[in-house]
């Protein structure tokens, strides 16, 4: 029996455009922390404009930063990468297919409503209901009855709006029946897409998205001022394990990381989680111990449209991989802060193997050219796709283009720079006709979160491999998370052998904070804003 209890047992996006211009402070201060007679004593956090604040309808890391303060999920990933109970008392299963979730008693939403098993069932049903078209819909595809909420026929209305695999046994017990055994299920519950919603949310879901009511240590304080700020206040009715140390948080929306970093240096914002890599050496020198480098699960890849016959040769794809000098690009564009990768999963993920890719991910211009020639090469214009969300995307794509010209002799290379708001839809609709930037922000530390999400059914590359699919299914059904690892690694080997998508580098997050706050405990899974207090 798999049991994850109160002790220990076992979080795609493309970074969205940094929105509009930086705003000034408000509430308690004109910029950084403080308050005095002007308002609550809260600290400020630099943020990019989120897309939504409904848990089931966003996978944006910017939204998640806010949601992690507003909501307690059933499970949370601790600093060591293992799951710990938060809103749940336990998550157990005899067969990995039917799971029993016990909810901790006494929890309240910010409007005073009790947090019950029904609160989770309601939120999950809404996310899984096809007509809602919420971003996290597919996270519920393995719950029995999902197909009834998402009929394949175009325009067909679902026969029901309730997942048959969710059973509210009593206010403290939720029984979840999956379509197949899935040993990773407990750890997936740490993702904010599985957070609960109160009944009050369902009277007006659009209004709720602008003013969500959560069950976490902070509650919204006023309206979300789009492209300007989001203010939170401490929730005094919170009974969970992480009461807020401060009186509130002010998220200040910035247009660029560079502007946010300038404000951090000037003391106009208290916390910046994404110091630009080019500014890292200066930040380290200026901030000292207040410069916080953190391992990250975020990865960059170069994907191929395998559905385009010009990219169907694995040797061609491998030759492109071997012609790219990852280390040189990391040094030139990211100031050496990122890690060149020869694996499809990030180093902090269980089952990570350094160099799993072998020589296909090692820079070797001579071997790359020989393999390129043997593959038949490439004719016509090679279009490289990326979004305009961050200037570094064009910088590293320029380096890739130059290396492909020099090392493989591909003379005609053009950029297809897509507006950030259109980039994902371009890839989803398979409109790209050349290699493209792909980024993945980890939802939870499992190889499954990378492999099945990016190389599994319906992937952007149009790549299909039965052996890979079967191995993922076997790994998902393994008796334990530990037993699943060798099977995920075999699946990774299959994907690396055909290389429909090239691993490039693993990010390292670089945060910094002002001298006006204390208790900063950022880790790979959360900024832990509840631990921060104002001096």
């Amino acid at each position: 029996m798999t049991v994850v209890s109160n002790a220990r047992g076992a979080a795609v996006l493309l970074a969205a455009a940094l929105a509009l211009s930086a705003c000034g402070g408000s509430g308690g201060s004109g910029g950084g922390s403080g308050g005095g007679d002007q308002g609550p004593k809260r600290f400020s956090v630099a943020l990019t404009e989120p897309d939504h604040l409904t848990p089931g309808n966003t996978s944006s890391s910017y939204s998640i930063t806010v949601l992690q303060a507003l909501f307690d999920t059933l499970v949370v990933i601790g600093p060591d990468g293992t799951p710990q109970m938060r809103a749940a008392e336990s998550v157990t299963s005899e067969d990995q297919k039917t799971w029993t979730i016990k909810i901790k008693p006494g929890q309240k939403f910010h409007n005073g409503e009790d947090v019950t098993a029904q609160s989770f069932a309601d939120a999950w049903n809404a996310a899984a209901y096809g007509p809602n078209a919420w971003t996290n819909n597919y996270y519920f595809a393995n719950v029995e009855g999902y197909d009834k909420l998402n009929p394949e026929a175009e325009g067909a209305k679902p026969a029901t709006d309730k997942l048959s695999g969710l059973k509210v046994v009593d206010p403290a017990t939720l029984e979840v029946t999956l379509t197949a055994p899935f040993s990773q299920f407990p750890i997936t519950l740490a993702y904010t897409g599985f957070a609960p919603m109160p009944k009050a949310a369902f009277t007006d879901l659009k209004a709720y998205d602008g003013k969500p009511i959560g069950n976490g240590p902070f509650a919204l304080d006023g309206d979300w001022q789009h492209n300007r700020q989001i203010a939170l206040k401490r929730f005094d009715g919170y009974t969970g394990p992480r009461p807020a140390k401060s009186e509130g948080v002010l998220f200040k929306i910035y247009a660029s990381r560079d502007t946010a970093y300038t404000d951090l240096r000037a003391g106009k914002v208290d916390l910046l989680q994404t110091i630009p890599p080019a500014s890292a050496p200066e930040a380290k020198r200026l901030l000292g111990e207040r410069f916080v480098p953190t391992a990250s699960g975020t990865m960059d890849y170069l994907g191929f449209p395998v559905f385009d016959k010009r990219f169907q040769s694995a040797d061609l794809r491998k030759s492109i991989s071997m012609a790219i000098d990852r280390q040189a690009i990391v040094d030139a564009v990211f100031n050496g802060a990122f890690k060149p990768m020869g694996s499809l999963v990030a180093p902090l993920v269980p089952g990570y193997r350094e160099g799993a890719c072998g020589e296909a991910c090692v820079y070797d211009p001579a071997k790359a050219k020989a393999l390129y020639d043997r593959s038949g090469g490439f004719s016509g214009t090679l279009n490289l796709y990326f979004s305009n969300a961050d200037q570094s995307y064009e910088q590293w794509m320029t380096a890739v283009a130059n290396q492909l010209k020099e090392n493989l002799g591909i003379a005609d290379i053009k950029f297809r720079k897509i507006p950030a708001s259109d980039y994902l839809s371009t890839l989803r609709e398979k409109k790209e006709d050349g290699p493209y930037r792909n980024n993945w922000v980890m939802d939870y530390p499992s190889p499954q979160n990378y492999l099945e999400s990016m190389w599994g059914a319906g992937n952007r590359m149009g790549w299909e491999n039965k052996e890979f699919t079967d191995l993922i299914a076997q790994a998902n059904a393994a008796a334990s998370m530990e037993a699943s690892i060798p099977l995920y690694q075999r699946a990774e080997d299959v994907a690396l052998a055909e290389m429909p998508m090239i691993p490039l580098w693993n990010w390292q997050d670089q945060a910094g904070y002002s001298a006006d706050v204390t208790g900063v405990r950022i880790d790979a899974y959360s900024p832990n804003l509840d631990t921060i207090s104002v001096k």
Side-chain angles (χ1 to χ4, degrees):
M1 178 171 73
T2 296
V3 179
V4 183
S5 64
N6 224 2
R8 291 183 177 180
V12 191
L13 73 158
L14 294 180
L18 291 163
L20 304 183
S21 60
C23 66
S26 74
S29 69
S33 57
D37 296 333
Q38 300 178 31
K41 193 173 183 180
R42 59 191 173 194
F43 61 94
S44 56
V45 178
L47 190 74
T48 295
E49 173 80 350
D51 57 356
H52 294 282
L53 290 178
T54 298
N57 196 22
T58 180
S59 61
S60 160
S61 60
Y62 314 124
S63 301
I64 290 172
T65 294
V66 180
L67 295 179
Q68 286 181 327
L70 292 173
F71 290 87
D72 273 6
T73 49
L74 288 162
V75 175
V76 64
I77 307 300
D80 63 350
T82 61
Q84 303 171 12
M85 297 298 104
R86 180 158 283 174
E89 189 73 46
S90 63
V91 181
T92 62
S93 178
E94 296 283 353
D95 59 5
Q96 313 278 5
K97 185 172 185 285
T98 301
W99 294 85
T100 300
I101 302 171
K102 289 289 186 181
I103 314 295
K104 288 180 180 175
Q107 300 176 77
K108 298 284 186 182
F109 284 104
H110 303 147
N111 63 350
E113 186 179 324
D114 290 338
V115 178
T116 68
Q118 191 66 54
S119 310
F120 289 92
D122 290 343
W124 297 7
N125 282 325
Y129 188 58
N132 283 340
W134 284 7
T135 298
N136 293 320
N137 172 284
Y138 68 95
Y139 280 91
F140 301 90
N142 64 346
V143 179
E144 277 194 356
Y146 173 85
D147 54 338
K148 297 290 192 298
L149 277 67
N150 297 271
E152 292 185 359
E154 188 174 351
K157 183 178 180 181
T160 177
D161 59 359
K162 304 287 189 302
L163 289 161
S164 60
L166 299 183
K167 180 182 178 182
V168 177
V169 178
D170 58 51
T173 309
L174 178 64
E175 187 177 277
V176 185
T177 302
L178 307 179
T179 55
F182 184 38
S183 59
Q184 316 292 299
F185 182 70
I187 204 168
T188 66
L189 300 177
Y191 181 48
T192 50
F194 291 91
M197 291 169 63
K199 293 191 178 303
F202 298 94
T203 59
D204 188 339
L205 286 172
K206 184 177 180 180
Y208 181 81
D209 193 56
K211 199 168 184 177
I213 301 167
N215 63 327
F218 293 99
L220 210 66
D221 187 11
D223 294 332
W224 171 7
Q225 298 181 37
H226 290 279
N227 301 310
R228 179 173 166 74
Q229 67 177 43
I230 300 170
L232 309 186
K233 61 183 177 183
R234 183 170 58 208
F235 174 43
D236 292 331
Y238 182 73
T239 60
R242 53 171 191 140
K245 303 294 185 187
S246 70
E247 295 180 12
V249 183
L250 179 66
F251 291 101
K252 302 173 64 175
I253 312 299
Y254 282 85
S256 76
R257 290 188 289 175
D258 293 313
T259 306
Y261 175 62
T262 298
D263 272 9
L264 177 66
R265 289 188 306 174
K268 294 180 178 179
V269 69
D270 291 312
L271 177 63
L272 172 60
Q273 295 177 255
T274 54
I275 292 175
S279 299
E282 179 192 70
K284 187 175 183 179
R285 175 169 44 84
L286 293 176
L287 299 174
E289 293 182 351
R290 293 184 283 111
F291 175 78
V292 187
T294 307
S296 169
T298 302
M299 298 271 289
D300 277 341
Y301 306 87
L302 189 68
F304 292 96
V306 178
F307 53 84
D308 184 325
K309 63 181 181 182
R310 299 175 302 164
F311 297 99
Q312 289 181 348
S313 166
D315 282 348
L316 171 68
R317 302 191 293 263
K318 289 180 182 177
S319 71
I320 291 176
S321 175
M322 297 169 73
I324 297 174
D325 189 344
R326 295 164 173 78
Q327 187 65 61
I329 296 175
V330 163
D331 290 342
V333 179
F334 304 113
N335 213 13
F338 293 178
K339 178 181 176 63
M341 290 299 293
S343 168
L344 300 182
V345 302
L348 56 73
V349 176
Y352 163 76
R353 297 169 295 160
E354 185 169 3
C357 181
E359 70 172 8
C361 292
V362 176
Y363 179 57
D364 191 328
K367 285 187 177 179
K369 185 62 166 66
L371 192 58
Y372 177 77
D373 291 341
R374 193 164 70 235
S375 73
F378 181 85
S379 59
T381 301
L382 183 68
N383 291 316
L384 298 177
Y385 286 72
F386 54 95
S387 82
N388 65 353
D390 190 287
Q391 62 180 2
S392 68
Y393 303 169
E394 184 164 356
Q395 291 171 350
W396 70 254
M397 273 294 191
T398 299
V400 166
N402 290 336
Q403 291 171 2
L404 297 183
K405 288 179 181 177
E406 180 175 345
N407 297 327
L408 300 182
I410 304 176
D412 187 8
I413 301 178
K414 289 186 169 55
F415 289 160
R416 292 292 180 260
K417 190 174 180 179
I418 310 296
S421 58
D422 299 330
Y423 191 66
L424 285 177
S425 60
T426 298
L427 299 183
R428 275 196 300 266
E429 296 169 12
K430 294 184 168 51
K431 293 180 177 177
E432 74 278 17
D433 63 355
Y436 58 91
R437 174 189 182 268
N438 197 75
N439 171 268
W440 184 257
V441 178
M442 180 181 69
D443 299 318
Y444 45 87
S446 165
Q448 179 271 339
N449 184 236
Y450 292 78
L451 298 175
E452 188 168 18
S453 299
M454 287 187 282
W455 284 264
N459 62 72
R460 293 171 182 164
M461 302 89 73
W463 178 72
E464 297 179 1
N465 186 290
K466 185 177 184 305
E467 183 182 6
F468 175 88
T469 302
D470 290 347
L471 284 166
I472 291 293
Q474 292 171 37
N476 289 347
S480 66
M481 296 184 69
E482 291 75 15
S484 70
I485 296 299
L487 293 163
Y488 287 128
Q489 291 176 334
R490 289 174 56 191
E492 181 186 20
D493 289 340
V494 172
L496 285 168
E498 296 198 9
M499 201 162 280
M501 190 153 61
I502 297 172
L504 293 175
W505 38 77
N506 168 236
W507 290 31
Q508 176 178 261
D509 295 331
Q510 301 166 119
Y513 60 93
S514 77
D516 295 327
V517 296
T518 187
V520 178
R521 298 175 184 170
I522 297 172
D523 60 42
Y525 310 99
S526 172
N528 296 307
L529 300 182
D530 52 282
T531 68
I532 299 176
S533 58
V534 181
K535 292 181 179 176

